């Protein structure tokens, strides 16, 4: 078994990367996604790079099954078990208004209606001590209702179960006695063992709502791969940027919610390691349907411990990712006499008009075809030949509605899309006090390199990096990721009551658990390590910052408190612009992250082919330029714009005034002219 394979299943294409451990060769390919049965697209893409599945030594893929179920509101029918008197907590949610000046703002409709919430007796105090025993008959009654009314999942969220999970554990035993394996049972302390009642409930509900779809998909993929001879476990990318095997992902499906998009972020981490001085990168992944933005800062992924997805809070480590509906397949249309682009997408079927599958509405890809920025005879490495006339007809029809010249409208479509994507980058940078001009723009996805320079210009970014195989870069990033397991334990201690040795003992226990879980994932002893951190805040604050520790026993040192308080002050200044070093601090949560590393891929420079460029007429800023179209495999030295670079998985557009060069690893570095 000599091939390491990664796959990213997108809304339009399924991308695959194969690394040959014998030769170091890396091959990328893609196939159209098959929404009716995603496995068909998976095997079509896989068959283009590996003939015999028995030769695969490692396989990982990203899945959007859970996220799609949430976005389309096609998730499971969920019964929620709440503590007596706390049944309304999920619907009350929080009182904060996330869009202050939106007069039509409404809270997201809860995934569980009020009539599907059952209150059960039993109560713990805030320390986890039992005040009232669990009402086991009420739990059995809820289980029988779940069977009678056809519920797909039961979420259990009882008060203070993060401090003591005994009531939830007993409730799960009863539910499984009554329901067997027919109904998914989710416990809030397993989904998110953290304080904040509503957020923990929301996390458990999200896992219950999306879990059955994820479990069905992963079970089916494992079965079909086994039938075709795959002899190694199927690994899945987690939202945190780490890997787990499919059996664990089926037990904790919430952790795969952002499985697909984060592969590119981990590729950005690998790129930062390879490119040395470029430690900060804005990762932009533009596919056919969406545009995803994430950050690599000081060579590490920007990971948060909580987020909001579709308006629902979730407590788990996940890459801080911002997504908008802007991709090559985004539809352009007229609304109130103005041009709009996205978020609606032509998807894989029928796709853009130029795909020749029946699409008639213009898309961003059609606009690029009209402008000459795509090689229609060698699109996606010759996988498809584009229908140029269909693209012109679609753009011309919309131009007629708006009273514009078709070519001018085509540039307008691209400019509107670029402005939306630039604003998405500002949301994750400028809005958080981060200056995008201090970052390189790492562009990937099937359409990312086509628009990257224009986005960089709008943000004042001076350098764009286009990796090898940009259309399959998220899949490549998955091969660079570690196996990851995140464990937490509540630890509420004020500055006066902080017991360093006791904290060290608790962290050591978490470390032992993390190492055991890595062993269960098949990670060899020499490749396991554990990182620790604490969530801290000033006394009286509500929200926390996560502060890394130097080891499980650091807290036992006599000078631990001033050291960690100084780190907290630095982090507070970086995040909020100020700190109060003299104010007392408190610890809220202990975090331990187990990491299992794999050998890193070789990054040898590809061989340069002898291939002559062809010249096409391409429009930039309303002016038509004779522009060379160059195969990426033929690039060496510098290439001055205007130029179009084509390869198997993407097209890179280099406007006039910009200069591109190929570095020793085969990355395309574009210096952006103002």
């Amino acid at each position: 078994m000599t091939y390491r394979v990664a796959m990213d299943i997108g809304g339009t294409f399924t991308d695959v990367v194969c690394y040959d451990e014998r030769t170091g060769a890396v091959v990328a390919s893609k196939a159209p996604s098959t929404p009716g049965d995603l496995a068909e697209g998976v095997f079509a893409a896989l068959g283009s790079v590996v003939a015999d599945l028995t030769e695969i030594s490692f396989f990982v893929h990203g899945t959007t099954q859970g996220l799609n179920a949430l976005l389309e509101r096609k998730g499971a029918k969920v019964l929620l078990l709440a503590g007596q008197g706390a049944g309304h907590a999920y619907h009350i949610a929080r009182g904060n208004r996330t869009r202050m000046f939106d007069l039509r703002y409404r809270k997201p409709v809860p995934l569980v209606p009020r009539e599907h919430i059952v209150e059960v007796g039993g109560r713990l105090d805030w320390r986890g001590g039992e005040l009232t025993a669990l009402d086991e008959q009420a739990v059995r009654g809820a289980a029988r209702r779940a069977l009678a009314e056809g519920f797909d999942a039961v979420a259990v969220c009882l008060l203070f179960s993060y401090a003591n999970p005994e009531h939830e554990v007993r409730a799960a035993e009863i539910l499984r006695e009554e329901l067997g394996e027919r109904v998914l049972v989710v416990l809030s302390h397993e989904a998110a063992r953290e304080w904040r009642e509503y957020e923990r409930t929301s996390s458990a509900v999200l896992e219950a709502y999306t879990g059955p779809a994820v479990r069905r998909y992963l079970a089916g993929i494992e079965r079909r791969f086994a039938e075709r001879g795959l002899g190694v476990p199927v690994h899945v990318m987690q939202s945190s940027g780490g890997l787990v095997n499919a059996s664990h992902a089926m037990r904790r499906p919430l952790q795969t919610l952002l499985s697909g998009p984060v592969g590119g972020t981990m590729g950005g981490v690998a790129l930062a390691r390879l490119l040395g001085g470029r430690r900060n990168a804005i990762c932009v992944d533009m596919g056919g349907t969406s545009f995803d933005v994430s950050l690599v800062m000081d060579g590490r992924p920007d990971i948060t411990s909580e987020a909001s997805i579709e308006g629902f809070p979730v407590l788990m480590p996940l890459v801080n990712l911002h997504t908008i509906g802007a991709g090559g397949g985004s539809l352009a249309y007229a609304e109130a006499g103005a041009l709009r682009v996205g978020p609606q997408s032509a998807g894989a079927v029928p796709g853009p008009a130029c795909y020749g599958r029946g699409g008639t509405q213009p898309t961003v890809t059609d606009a690029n075809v009209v402008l000459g920025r795509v090689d229609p005879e060698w699109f996606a490495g010759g996988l498809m030949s584009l229908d140029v006339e269909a693209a012109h007809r679609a753009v011309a029809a919309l131009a007629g509605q708006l009273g514009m010249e078709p070519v001018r409208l085509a540039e307008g479509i691209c400019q509107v899309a670029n402005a939306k994507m630039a604003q998405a980058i500002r949301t994750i940078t400028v809005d958080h006090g981060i200056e995008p001009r201090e970052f390189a723009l790492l562009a990937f996805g099937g359409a990312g390199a086509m628009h990257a320079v224009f986005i960089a210009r709008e943000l004042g970014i001076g350098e764009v990096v286009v990796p090898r195989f940009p259309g399959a870069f998220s899949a490549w990033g998955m091969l660079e990721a570690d196996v990851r397991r995140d464990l937490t334990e509540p630890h509420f201690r004020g500055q006066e009551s902080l017991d360093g040795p006791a904290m060290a003992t608790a962290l050591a226990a978490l470390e032992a658990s993390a190492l055991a879980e890595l062993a269960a994932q098949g990670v060899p002893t020499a490749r396991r390590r554990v990182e620790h951190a604490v969530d801290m805040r000033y006394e009286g604050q509500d929200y926390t910052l996560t502060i890394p520790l130097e080891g499980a026993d650091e807290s036992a040192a006599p000078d631990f408190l001033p050291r960690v308080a100084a780190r907290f002050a630095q982090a507070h200044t970086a995040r909020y612009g100020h700190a109060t070093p003299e104010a007392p601090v408190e610890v809220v949560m202990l975090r331990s992250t187990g990491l299992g590393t794999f050998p890193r891929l070789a990054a040898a420079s590809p061989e340069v082919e002898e291939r002559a460029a062809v010249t096409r007429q391409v429009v930039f800023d309303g002016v038509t330029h004779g522009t060379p179209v160059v195969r990426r495999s033929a690039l060496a030295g510098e290439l001055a714009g205007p130029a179009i670079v084509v390869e198997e998985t993407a097209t890179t557009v280099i406007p006039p005034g910009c200069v591109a060069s190929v570095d020793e690893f085969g990355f395309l570095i574009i210096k952006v002219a103002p």
Side-chain angles (χ1 to χ4, degrees):
M1 297 190 292
T2 59
Y3 296 111
R4 293 175 62 189
V5 178
M7 187 169 291
D8 179 29
I9 304 170
T12 306
F13 285 103
T14 295
D15 304 315
V16 61
V17 170
C18 177
Y19 173 70
D20 189 333
E21 295 176 321
R22 296 168 300 183
T23 65
V26 180
V27 179
S29 185
K30 61 173 57 192
S33 295
T34 49
D37 181 3
L38 290 175
E40 290 183 15
V42 166
F43 289 118
L46 193 57
S48 65
V49 295
V50 179
D52 185 356
L53 268 62
T54 63
E55 296 184 355
I56 295 177
S57 62
F58 177 81
F59 180 79
V60 58
H61 85 308
T63 173
T64 57
Q65 285 295 296
L67 184 60
N68 289 345
L70 175 62
L71 295 176
E72 298 170 10
R73 294 299 189 271
K74 294 180 180 178
K77 183 180 179 182
V78 178
L79 184 70
L80 172 61
L81 268 61
Q84 191 73 46
H88 289 278
Y90 179 61
H91 278 247
I92 292 171
R94 295 293 178 190
N96 54 309
R97 189 186 182 97
T98 57
R99 295 195 297 274
M100 291 293 292
F101 303 106
D102 185 351
L103 298 179
R104 296 191 175 123
Y105 172 73
R106 295 291 183 274
K107 288 182 181 180
V109 176
L111 300 175
V112 179
R114 181 66 188 89
E115 59 270 21
H116 292 170
I117 300 176
V118 175
E119 296 183 8
V120 297
R123 182 60 61 89
L124 305 173
D125 65 21
W126 69 275
R127 295 183 182 86
E130 186 175 79
L131 299 176
T132 307
L134 178 69
D135 185 346
E136 297 189 1
Q137 291 307 309
V139 177
R140 292 191 187 277
R144 289 162 188 159
R145 178 185 171 185
L147 278 180
E149 298 182 19
F151 284 91
D152 303 301
V154 178
V156 183
C157 188
L158 304 179
L159 287 171
F160 304 116
S161 58
Y162 63 84
N164 180 358
E166 286 184 4
H167 280 189
E168 286 194 353
V169 170
R170 178 54 186 152
E173 292 172 351
I174 296 169
L175 290 168
R176 289 176 178 132
E177 286 174 11
E178 298 284 343
L179 303 174
E181 297 299 320
R182 288 168 290 183
V183 177
L184 173 66
V185 176
V186 174
L187 307 182
S188 73
H189 78 274
E190 293 180 344
R193 191 171 182 179
E194 301 193 29
W195 65 294
R196 294 182 193 158
E197 190 67 23
Y198 166 59
E199 285 78 1
R200 184 161 46 86
T201 303
S202 175
S203 300
V205 168
L206 277 169
E207 180 155 285
Y209 186 77
T210 61
V214 174
R215 292 176 69 180
R216 285 193 300 269
Y217 168 74
L218 291 177
I221 283 287
E222 275 203 314
R223 183 184 68 254
R224 294 173 71 168
F225 267 105
E227 291 170 354
R228 297 188 181 216
L230 184 72
V232 295
V234 173
H235 284 81
V236 182
M237 178 65 86
Q238 298 180 99
S239 303
S240 63
L243 308 177
V244 290
N245 59 36
S247 60
H248 178 86
M250 284 188 276
R251 294 195 301 274
R252 296 270 69 83
L254 181 66
Q255 296 171 0
T256 70
L257 201 58
L258 301 178
S259 172
V262 302
T265 310
M266 303 315 295
V269 172
L271 182 139
R273 185 184 72 249
L274 291 172
L275 297 187
R278 298 174 182 87
R279 301 285 292 171
N280 296 329
I282 298 172
C283 304
V284 295
D285 181 0
M286 183 181 180
T289 306
S290 63
F291 179 78
D292 304 313
V293 188
S294 58
L295 301 179
V296 174
M297 296 189 291
D298 195 26
R300 299 174 68 90
D302 179 23
I303 295 178
T304 181
S305 59
E306 59 182 291
S308 177
I309 301 175
E310 285 293 286
F312 300 110
V314 58
L315 296 175
M316 67 176 179
L318 73 170
V319 170
N320 194 10
L321 194 76
H322 183 60
T323 301
I324 63 170
S330 293
L331 295 172
Y333 56 97
E335 183 178 79
L339 174 64
R340 299 284 186 269
V341 180
Q344 298 86 358
S345 172
V349 180
C354 61
Y355 283 11
R357 297 174 180 162
T360 58
Q361 286 185 265
T363 66
V364 173
T365 297
D366 293 312
N368 280 298
V369 170
V370 169
L371 296 171
R373 298 176 184 176
V374 177
D375 185 350
E377 285 80 34
W378 206 71
F379 184 71
L383 181 68
M384 300 174 64
S385 292
L386 301 182
D387 187 339
V388 176
E389 292 303 318
H392 278 273
R393 286 195 301 270
V395 172
L398 180 59
Q401 295 179 40
L402 294 170
M404 299 176 66
E405 291 293 325
V407 172
R408 186 180 176 192
L409 174 65
E411 277 209 288
I413 291 171
C414 291
Q415 289 166 356
V416 171
N418 292 337
K420 290 181 65 174
M421 292 184 283
Q423 183 56 41
I425 293 173
R426 292 188 186 99
T427 299
I428 204 170
T429 55
V430 176
D431 288 2
H432 293 273
I434 297 170
E435 174 53 70
R437 287 176 292 188
E438 297 175 357
F439 288 68
L441 186 68
L442 172 61
F444 52 95
M450 197 179 301
H451 292 260
V453 175
F454 303 97
I455 298 170
R457 276 179 170 169
E458 186 148 340
L459 295 166
I461 296 173
E463 184 178 74
V464 170
V465 179
V466 182
R468 293 175 63 191
F469 316 116
F473 187 68
S474 287
W476 184 84
M478 294 176 192
L479 291 179
E480 289 286 330
D482 297 327
V483 172
R484 178 174 176 136
R485 291 293 296 116
D486 292 279
L487 302 178
T488 60
E489 181 176 309
H491 195 84
F492 293 90
R493 299 290 188 277
Q495 183 167 312
E496 297 301 322
S497 60
L498 187 64
D499 186 337
M503 183 190 296
T505 300
L507 287 168
L510 286 176
E511 179 170 323
S513 298
L515 291 173
E517 297 214 19
L518 292 176
Q521 295 284 318
V523 179
T525 303
R527 294 181 183 167
R528 303 174 203 158
R529 75 180 193 278
V530 180
E531 297 178 352
H532 302 280
V534 292
D535 285 1
M536 296 181 66
R537 63 187 180 187
Y538 288 123
E539 287 186 4
Q541 281 187 323
D542 186 21
Y543 289 93
T544 62
L545 293 174
T546 300
I547 309 302
L549 300 180
E550 295 175 358
D553 58 351
E554 183 189 4
S555 62
D559 61 344
F560 168 69
L561 183 58
R563 282 162 51 186
V564 75
R567 270 181 246 159
F568 173 73
Q570 291 175 349
H572 202 279
T573 301
R575 180 66 181 86
Y576 299 109
H578 67 89
T580 312
E582 66 277 7
V585 296
E586 57 186 6
V587 173
V588 175
M589 185 75 64
L590 307 182
R591 298 186 183 275
S592 296
T593 301
L595 297 166
T597 59
F598 290 104
R600 300 304 183 191
L601 301 190
S605 179
E607 295 183 5
V608 178
E609 296 181 358
E610 290 291 335
R611 187 183 293 271
V614 298
T615 300
R616 295 180 57 85
Q617 298 302 306
V618 183
V619 178
F620 294 97
D621 296 324
V623 179
T624 302
H625 297 258
T627 303
V629 179
V630 185
R631 293 281 180 95
R632 179 143 182 191
S633 57
L635 281 181
E638 290 190 345
L639 177 65
I644 305 295
V645 180
V646 297
E647 56 185 300
E648 288 81 356
T649 63
T651 297
T652 301
V653 176
I654 305 170
C658 300
V659 178
S661 60
V662 181
D663 77 351
E664 60 181 307
F665 300 115
F667 296 118
L668 190 61
I669 313 296
I670 304 172
K671 298 300 181 182
V672 180

